[in-house]
Structure formats: C-alpha cells, structure tokens
Amino acid sequence: MIRNYIKTAFRGLQKSKGFTTINILGLALGLATCLLIILYVADELSYDRYNTKADRIYRVNEDLKLGDNSVQYAVCMPPLAKTLKAEYPYVENAVRLKNAGSWHVKKGNSSILENRLAYADPSLFDVFTLPMINGSPASALAEPNSIVITETIAKKYFSSINVVGKTMVLNDNTPFKVTGVIRDVPRQSHFNFDFFLSMSTWADSRSNEWLRSDYNTYVLLKDPSDAQKLAASFPALLKKFSGAQMQAQLNMSIDAFEKSGSFFRMNLIPLTDIHLKSSLSGELGPNGTTQYIYIFSAIAVFILLIACVNFMNLSTARSSNRAREVGVRKVLGSDRKQLIAQFLTESVLVTFVATLLAFTAAMFLLPLFNQLSGKELVINSQSLVWIIPSLLFISLFVGAIAGSYPAFYLSAFQPVDVLKGKLAAGFKGSKLRSFLVVFQFSISIFLIIGTLVIYNQLKYIQTKNLGYNRNQVLIVQNVFELNRQAKTFKQEVKEIPGVINATMTGFLPTSNWKNTSIYYKDATLDQKKSLFPQSWDIDEDYIKSLDMKMVAGRNFSKDMPTDSTGIILNESAAKFLGFNDTNKILYRSQGGKNTLDNVKQYHVIGIVKDFNFNSLRESISPVVMTLGENTGALSIKVETKNLPALLSQIKDRWKELSPNVQINYSFMDQEFDASYRTEQRTGQIFIVFTSLAIVIACLGLFGLAAYAAEQRTKEIGIRKVLGASVSAIAGMLSKDFIKLVFISILIATPFAWYFMNKWFLQGFAYRVNIQWWVLVLAGVAALFIAVITVSFQSIKAAMANPVDSLKNE
C-alpha cells in the first residue's frame, strides 16, 4: 500500500511540475535558513562545554558599592584562590588567570607582537581541559619564567611541537623556558590564549591584599551542589580576611561599611554561563548575549512556519485540479483515510526532497554565512550525529504539519458536488487561508521594521558625537618597548610634516586599558562623600590631540609645575560631586594606615565635556584625569593628504630607536568599529534573514494568487466577454490580498515597535527613537512587494482568452 502511495504521489507531483518546483524550493529555502540558524545557536550555546568538568567549574565575581558608586567585576583579589582551596574541603581546586597584555616574542633577529598571553597558576590543567601534547601538566607552570604554548605557536616559532626545554625570549630580554605544548584552545571558549606564563613570574601574584581586584579566579567543586553552600559562605570569608585591611584603610569594619549603604560582595557564575550571561569589568574576552540567541531562534521558527504556510497555500491552489480526482476515487470506493494517507505521503515526499536540497544548500552557503557572522561553523562527522536525525524528524514533522490542511481539505470534497462542478467558493470562502496570509505578512512586516531599526541604530553609533574625534588618529601600540626613548619618539614624530599633534598614554577611549581609584571630597576619607571613577594618567597633549572640549577651567600645561597635583574631571564626575566649576579639592589615600600623612590632595583645574569610552550600551561613567607618564601607546593626529609617506616616516623613526622590535599600529576609527562588530554582523544577518523570509512569504502569496485566479477562471472569462478591462479584472483579483496586507500592517506594527524597544534598543544607553516613518516605510514596502507578487498572476489571468475558459460550458 505504501509503495502504491509513493508511486501515485510521484505521478501527481509530475503533473504539476511548476507548483511542485516552487513548493520544494520554498521549503528548501526555509529549511536551509533554519539549519544555518540552528548551527549558529548551537555554537553559541556550546561555549566552554569542551571542559570535561564544566558542570563543576565556577568563576568568582565581585560586586562593589561605595557610596553611590557601584561596579561589577569578573576579577577578584590575589590571595582568594589559595584561600578558597585551603578553607573549604568541597573546593577540589582553584586557579587564577590574568591577562598579560601584549608582548613581543623574538623569532630570529626580529620580534613579533603577540596579544594572547596570560599568567596562570599551575592548577590550570587540573581545572580546565587543555590536553598537553608535550610536557607534564602537573609541573609545567610550577617554576618562575616557565611558559606553556599552544600547538600552533610551537609550529610558528620552532616548526615543531617537540620544544619542551627550549627558550623563548619575550620583550627582548626576558627568557622563558618552554615546559609544555597543549592543543589549541577551542574557539568556543570564553578565553582564547596562545601563551600561558607561570603565575609565579608575576611578583604581584603573591600579594596578600584583599581590597583590590586583578585576577580571574575559578573554583573546581567536588560536587556541583556545593556551589550554593560556597556562595553563602562568602560574607564570613570576607569578614575574616579583609576586615583588618578595611579597618586600616577606611577606619571602619565591614559591618559598619555595609550599614552605611555600601557593600563588598562576591558571587559565583557557572563556567558555561559566562559567554552569554556575563559582561563585567575585567572579562578575559568579548562575550555574546542571550538577546541575539532569542532573536535568531525566533527568526528560525518564523521562517519555518512561513515555509509550512506556503506549502499549505500552494497545495490548496491545486485543489480544483485535484477535486475531480478525489471525486472519482471516492466513487470507486476509496475512503477518506486512504485519501488523507495519499496526500500526506505526497507532503512528506516533497518535504524529504526539500530537506535534501536544504542540507546541500546549507553546505554550500556555510562559508558565506561564516564570513557574515564571524563564526567558524563546520558540518563534520560530530555535527552530523545530531543534524541527520534532526533533519529526518523535521522532514516528517513539517511534512505532516504542512500537509495536514491540504490532506483534510481535499479529502473532504463531496463526490456529487465535485462531479457536478460545485466547488468551494474559492479564496473568499477560506478564512484559514486568509489567516495564513495575514500571519505570513505580519511576520514579514515585523522583520522589515526590525531591520530598519537595527540599521538606524548602527548608523547612529557610527555618526554620534562621542565627545572626541576618532578620525585621522593613528595609534602606535606598546611604546613602552622603547623604554627611555619613548619621549624622544614622541618629540620626533611631532616634528614630521603632516603630524598635527601626538599624545602618549594607553588610556584611550577605544582601548581596553582601564583603572579605577577612590577619591574623596574631604580629608577624612568619608566613603559617603567618595567617588569611584576611572583614573587615567594622560599628558598635556591628550585633550588637544583627541579634539576634546573643555567646559570649564583649563588643560594641563607643562609650564605649570603645580599641575603634578592637578586633575581634570569629565562632566559626569563633576556632576556626581556637585562641582560646577574648578578650584575644588579632592583627596586620595596613598595606602597603608588611613592617616592624614597618607592622604594626597588634588586640585581640580578643569572639566572636560563627557566622552564615550565604553560601549554605547553603557552610560558615561565618571573619569578623573591626572598628569602622568604612561607609555602604553602614542596617539598621533595626522593629516591624510599623503598618508603612506607619513606612515613610512613614523616607521623609520621607530626603527632608528628600536631596530629589533616590530612597530604595531592601528587607526582609532578602526578600533571603534571593531568594538561594535557584533552589532554590525547581527544587523547584516538580520537583513539577510528578513530578505529570505520575504521571498518565502511572496512564494506563498504567489500560490494564493494562482489559486484565486484558477477558481475564478470562468468568472473572468464572462466579465471579459461583457467588456471588463484588464486593469479592472486585475484590480478585482488583487483587492482581497491588499486588504489582508493592510490587516497585517495593523497587527505587526505595534508588536514590532514594542519588541524592538523592549528587546533591542533597551540594551543601549544611547539609542535612536523609532520614528513614525520607519513604521510607514515598512508597511509601504510590504504593500509594494505584495502588489508586485499578486499583479503578475492577476494580469496573466486577466489577459487570458475567455474562449479557453468558456468553451466547455
């Protein structure tokens, strides 16, 4: 029987090759898109799950509130890891990681700048699953100046992985002994380092300070259920180990500190939650967000639903051609169950073929999708284990769901009515089909509005006045490599024709250099009158080089010796402190005992206009600038008339001062764009998926237009004989669809406005408002697309020869 169903299904599909092709292509396009999104979402959800002990690994975070200032850290105090292991028997192990920044690594006579270095405790390989190819995991990072590198780095510098015992020279003069080679850290990791330096090399790692945060700290529990117990013990732990230091520095106990409204707390986050649910100060790398997972998952479901709706519409569009077949079958003894089985077989067969095409299309489109999304997704033997069963299930499920309505609809035809020519009223007679059109275009309009909103927000980010000018600013990184020659390099660069100005500091609006300090409004260091801002060391050229604006007071001057104790506030800091002019005093503890001898006094000499140095997702926070020497980078304001020649001269100056160290530079506007790469890629993906959803929806509308024209063929013929024009008939056939699109606009517009405000724009502290023209444009676009799609079938039907439709009457 099944064989007969399949054979009959093939014959039926071959009779209507056009409809069958459109049906298969629509389903294949929807399924291919859905598969790509599933791969993307699965990749995002897989972060850090390569660790065999992932369910028992937690990171310790820190929350600090001081007065009205609050900040959340992904880093903790230096002695926490060893203390947790010593104090709690259910803590199996603990490890610290500290981003080591950028180092030059010597290769032959040249040096290569590497950015993916971290200090790590010896317990790194016991906590995380980082398979070692060469060396001993137990002792690899035990000694100072030892280093573990990845397989790729070993091949890059030594052309071999058997390099244990060899020496690598970092920053020209610091030798490190290679004690291990590990497999490359999986890309699905919230940290992705190539070099792990022994933590004992970093002298600060032995510090016993409990009132500062520098180290990403992870604990491996003996049982996951112990996490709640450990988190509950943190208040007592802090009181025991940090209480004395807090008393010495702030003249108050932890209890008094919390009673004043401030707090100093720790919490745990599961390792597998870090990538999508954590965006704190001190993260080891950029993380994702669950917001985009929800958005893309919803798009996948919507596109699959649209594809299913198309199948229903295109199948019912053929109903009049199949009606007599159903009537004859019933007269010959077929019952309704057999007819339903026949039509469902056709549906599943079409879906199966579409699934094969979808899988093939996804394979070919995957490289393009990777380029668009910034991923490295692959379909390999491991992924096929779940992809093939999933596709088979989807094929059967979609086939059953999409084919259910046509099967029950067609099998319900009464043979007497069918054979007498009394068919259903057609398009107007089906409320379900009208609902499906509204459903499809509501989704399409929703996605069009979403795309326009995302585009406008990204454009706003690119053009917003950030409070500084990032254009034509060349950043030479790691000027500290020049040691005492750094100042000389700056002066020589400033003398090059085409250089407008230059400032030397690593604290830039687009950099990851961050530093916080506590300032007080009076010498008693009352934390109720405190400020917990970003604290940046800059030089006298900083404000001018970045085109920042002073709103009060003056800039630093090298001719003013008293500026060594001067500070410049941004507007947010001034507002927080209640300062509206200069000539104010701030105080800062120098550490140790909290006495007047250890308090340094600063005078406010200027207030600079607020500038964005964090993501536009965050509000501008207070910044205090002091005059100091920081050689993290040299930012050069340049003219762009002859940029290649200018770059060549800058490189020559560097090479003269440091011939063995390679210069590393970038442009500030490129660094700014890179920080919003996730949003840009999301916008591009959203546009592509929206376009696909619209194409699939138009296929459904095309099918319904064909159905409507097919049902009213004789009516059209009679109207033409009686003198109706082509335009009148085309308008008659189109108006029902246009009504449904209008209804879709009314339904989708408020939903889209709400969700884009609530789910997308609320994630930005600085955002556009959804203008009325965005909603109107989306509606007009949907209407235009619908008219073009329907008009093709309507005009074709209106121009048909009425003789062909009436000759059988």
Side-chain angles (χ1 to χ4, degrees), residues 712-780:
R712 304 174 74 174
T713 300
K714 291 182 176 60
E715 177 189 347
I716 293 169
I718 293 171
R719 286 178 179 271
K720 288 198 72 175
V721 168
L722 295 176
S725 64
V726 171
S727 60
I729 293 173
M732 176 195 71
L733 293 173
S734 301
K735 67 179 182 179
D736 292 321
F737 296 102
I738 304 306
K739 288 179 184 177
L740 296 179
V741 175
F742 270 117
I743 294 172
S744 301
I745 293 171
L746 294 175
I747 292 173
T749 300
F751 277 102
W753 181 88
Y754 175 80
F755 279 102
M756 292 310 295
N757 262 313
K758 188 77 173 178
W759 278 49
F760 182 73
L761 292 178
Q762 286 299 319
F764 293 88
Y766 303 93
R767 54 185 178 269
V768 297
N769 293 318
I770 301 179
Q771 303 293 331
W772 63 269
W773 62 265
V774 170
L775 307 178
V776 172
L777 181 61
V780 170

Side-chain angles (χ1 to χ4, degrees), residues 234-253:
F234 283 154
L237 179 77
L238 287 174
K239 186 177 294 186
K240 178 179 178 180
F241 289 97
S242 65
Q245 293 182 19
M246 183 172 287
Q247 186 68 46
Q249 293 190 27
L250 298 180
N251 279 337
M252 64 172 61
S253 65

Side-chain angles (χ1 to χ4, degrees), residues 69-136:
N69 304 271
S70 63
V71 65
Q72 290 77 44
Y73 290 110
V75 289
C76 292
M77 56 288 295
L80 179 64
K82 67 176 182 181
T83 303
L84 290 175
K85 187 177 179 182
E87 291 286 318
Y88 302 104
Y90 48 82
V91 174
E92 184 176 314
N93 217 327
V95 62
R96 295 173 299 171
L97 285 172
K98 181 177 175 61
N99 195 327
S102 301
W103 293 55
H104 278 97
V105 182
K106 198 165 186 179
K107 183 180 182 182
N109 294 324
S110 63
S111 292
I112 301 174
L113 185 68
E114 299 284 0
N115 300 308
R116 293 158 63 168
L117 298 93
Y119 291 104
D121 285 322
S123 53
L124 174 71
F125 306 107
D126 181 60
V127 176
F128 296 105
T129 304
L130 300 171
M132 188 163 286
I133 305 171
N134 201 352
S136 171

Side-chain angles (χ1 to χ4, degrees), residues 487-776:
K487 284 187 176 181
T488 303
F489 178 63
K490 175 186 173 182
Q491 293 305 317
E492 290 183 358
V493 166
K494 289 179 71 173
E495 294 170 3
I496 297 175
V499 172
I500 301 171
N501 212 330
T503 178
M504 190 159 61
T505 180
F507 293 105
L508 298 170
T510 57
S511 78
N512 292 323
W513 284 53
K514 297 289 185 289
N515 182 53
T516 53
S517 293
I518 304 176
Y519 290 84
Y520 301 87
K521 291 179 69 172
D522 60 49
T524 62
L525 305 189
D526 182 359
Q527 56 89 22
K528 292 181 180 179
K529 300 177 181 179
S530 64
L531 177 68
F532 193 47
Q534 286 290 314
S535 182
W536 293 4
D537 291 329
I538 66 171
D539 61 19
E540 66 278 359
D541 294 313
Y542 189 88
I543 303 293
K544 293 180 289 185
S545 297
L546 299 184
D547 289 338
M548 293 179 173
K549 307 299 181 186
M550 299 297 299
V551 296
R554 61 175 177 84
N555 186 18
F556 290 119
S557 173
K558 59 183 177 181
D559 299 323
M560 299 282 289
T562 57
D563 278 2
S564 61
T565 58
I567 56 175
I568 295 176
L569 308 176
N570 72 342
E571 289 179 300
S572 294
K575 182 179 180 181
F576 185 87
L577 293 166
F579 297 168
N580 51 22
D581 56 17
T582 56
N583 301 317
K584 304 292 185 180
I585 303 297
L586 285 179
Y587 301 87
R588 183 179 177 184
S589 173
Q590 299 301 293
K593 294 288 184 179
N594 187 18
T595 63
L596 292 178
D597 293 335
N598 289 318
V599 175
K600 186 173 182 179
Q601 179 175 304
Y602 293 85
H603 57 284
V604 179
I605 65 169
I607 299 174
V608 68
K609 186 175 179 60
D610 271 344
F611 59 93
N612 290 91
F613 58 91
N614 285 323
S615 165
L616 291 181
R617 291 180 176 276
E618 304 173 32
S619 300
I620 297 175
S621 57
V623 178
V624 171
M625 300 177 178
T626 55
L627 185 62
E629 294 184 5
N630 183 289
T631 55
L634 181 69
S635 300
I636 310 166
K637 186 73 173 180
V638 300
E639 295 177 351
T640 56
K641 293 179 181 178
N642 192 1
L643 192 56
L646 183 59
L647 280 171
S648 179
Q649 293 183 68
I650 293 172
K651 290 177 183 177
D652 289 341
R653 298 295 192 279
W654 178 280
K655 194 169 184 180
E656 289 172 4
L657 297 172
S658 183
N660 296 323
V661 178
Q662 182 181 356
I663 189 172
N664 183 52
Y665 63 87
S666 60
F667 286 91
M668 186 173 283
D669 56 353
Q670 293 174 341
E671 291 190 355
F672 176 84
D673 291 340
S675 64
Y676 291 96
R677 195 166 290 149
T678 299
E679 279 78 12
Q680 291 167 356
R681 285 171 173 163
T682 301
Q684 292 171 346
I685 295 172
F686 207 93
I687 290 170
V688 170
F689 287 155
T690 297
S691 301
L692 291 172
I694 292 171
V695 169
I696 297 170
C698 287
L699 286 174
L701 198 61
F702 180 87
L704 271 188
Y707 169 79
E710 186 177 277
Q711 291 293 307
R712 304 174 74 174
T713 300
K714 291 182 176 60
E715 177 189 347
I716 293 169
I718 293 171
R719 286 178 179 271
K720 288 198 72 175
V721 168
L722 295 176
S725 64
V726 171
S727 60
I729 293 173
M732 176 195 71
L733 293 173
S734 301
K735 67 179 182 179
D736 292 321
F737 296 102
I738 304 306
K739 288 179 184 177
L740 296 179
V741 175
F742 270 117
I743 294 172
S744 301
I745 293 171
L746 294 175
I747 292 173
T749 300
F751 277 102
W753 181 88
Y754 175 80
F755 279 102
M756 292 310 295
N757 262 313
K758 188 77 173 178
W759 278 49
F760 182 73
L761 292 178
Q762 286 299 319
F764 293 88
Y766 303 93
R767 54 185 178 269
V768 297
N769 293 318
I770 301 179
Q771 303 293 331
W772 63 269
W773 62 265
V774 170
L775 307 178
V776 172

Side-chain angles (χ1 to χ4, degrees), residues 24 55 118 169 209 245 330 371 436 583 658 695-696 762:
I24 291 174
D55 62 322
V169 178
E209 292 186 60
Q245 293 182 19
K330 283 193 171 185
Q371 184 179 354
L436 294 177
N583 301 317
S658 183
V695 169
I696 297 170
Q762 286 299 319

